[in-house]
């Protein structure tokens, strides 16, 4: 069973672990590095309880470890909630992306969020397959990127 966890500051090392992993970040063709200052800002933002920004780790009881990070962020230009998930490379295709979305949809109901939008690179075949399986529909294509939308059943 997986649950959403609001991480403590010391647990944010998981952010570095997944974002600096070449295999995990292959979908975007580069890794990301985080400074301690950036992690402090993330922690501060998480603690504001702003419904326009929601960030959690997904913890697996069976694994006794974090398996993914997932978030939504409101984008005023798109007037949409951008949903993201990054699953550890060693656990990809094990269902944690689907589980992350299921848990986030449950949270979205509490905030009356009508839909999630997800943007991916057009060469991200695994991501695209996942989004289509989950009922996302392509709503925009431009410059090697695709935007998908999932209407939530609030």
């Amino acid at each position: 069973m997986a649950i959403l966890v609001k991480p403590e500051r010391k647990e944010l090392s998981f952010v570095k672990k997944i974002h600096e992993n070449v295999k995990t970040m292959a979908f975007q063709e580069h890794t990301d590095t985080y400074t301690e200052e950036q992690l402090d800002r993330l922690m501060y933002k998480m603690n504001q309880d702003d419904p326009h920004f929601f960030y959690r780790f997904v913890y697996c009881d069976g694994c006794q470890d974090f398996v993914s990070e997932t978030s939504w962020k409101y984008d005023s230009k798109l007037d949409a909630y951008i949903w993201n998930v990054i699953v550890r490379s060693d656990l990809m295709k094990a269902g944690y992306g689907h589980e992350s979305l299921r848990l986030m949809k449950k949270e979205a109901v509490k905030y009356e969020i009508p839909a999630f939008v997800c943007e991916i690179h057009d060469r991200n075949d695994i991501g695209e397959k996942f989004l289509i399986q989950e009922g996302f529909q392509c709503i925009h294509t431009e410059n090697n990127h695709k935007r998908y939308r999932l209407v939530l059943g609030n």
Side-chain angles (χ1 to χ4, degrees):
M1 181 170 136
I3 58 170
L4 290 177
V5 174
K6 185 176 184 179
E8 296 178 16
R9 176 59 179 89
K10 66 183 178 195
E11 295 170 321
L12 290 183
S13 60
F14 180 68
V15 173
K16 286 182 161 190
K17 179 181 177 177
I18 59 174
H19 284 266
E20 293 176 1
N21 183 295
V22 174
K23 289 181 181 177
T24 298
M25 301 306 289
F27 69 93
Q28 71 177 19
E29 300 177 340
H30 64 82
T31 58
D32 298 318
T33 56
Y34 280 83
T35 64
E36 292 303 311
E37 185 178 274
Q38 288 171 311
L39 294 176
D40 288 341
R41 282 196 305 264
L42 175 60
M43 191 72 206
Y44 175 80
K45 226 176 155 179
M46 262 192 307
N47 287 324
Q48 297 308 301
D49 292 323
D50 177 0
H52 294 309
F53 178 79
F54 189 86
Y55 178 92
R56 297 292 185 266
F57 291 164
V58 176
Y59 180 83
C60 170
D61 285 336
C63 306
Q64 294 289 297
D65 204 358
F66 296 120
V67 296
S68 68
E69 72 168 8
T70 186
S71 64
W72 73 61
K73 182 174 87 171
Y74 182 73
D75 183 317
S76 58
K77 290 179 187 173
L78 295 176
D79 188 27
Y81 289 86
I82 307 299
W83 173 72
N84 288 299
V85 63
I86 300 176
V87 177
R88 285 179 11 202
S89 63
D90 61 321
L91 295 171
M92 286 184 184
K93 298 185 180 180
Y96 291 111
H98 297 283
E99 188 65 9
S100 297
L101 179 59
R102 183 189 69 76
L103 293 166
M104 290 295 274
K105 285 166 55 176
K106 212 168 159 183
E107 287 297 318
V109 169
K110 298 174 187 176
Y111 297 97
E112 299 179 356
I113 293 174
F116 282 148
V117 169
C118 190
E119 297 182 306
I120 62 169
H121 196 281
D122 67 357
R123 288 180 292 206
N124 185 350
D125 296 333
I126 293 170
E128 186 170 32
K129 182 179 176 184
F130 166 81
L131 294 175
I132 292 168
Q133 283 177 343
E134 285 290 347
F136 282 80
Q137 295 182 336
C138 187
I139 57 171
H140 186 76
T141 302
E142 181 179 335
N143 298 331
N144 300 328
H145 285 84
K146 293 181 180 180
R147 186 176 304 137
Y148 283 82
R149 184 171 192 255
L150 177 68
V151 175
L152 304 174
N154 294 334

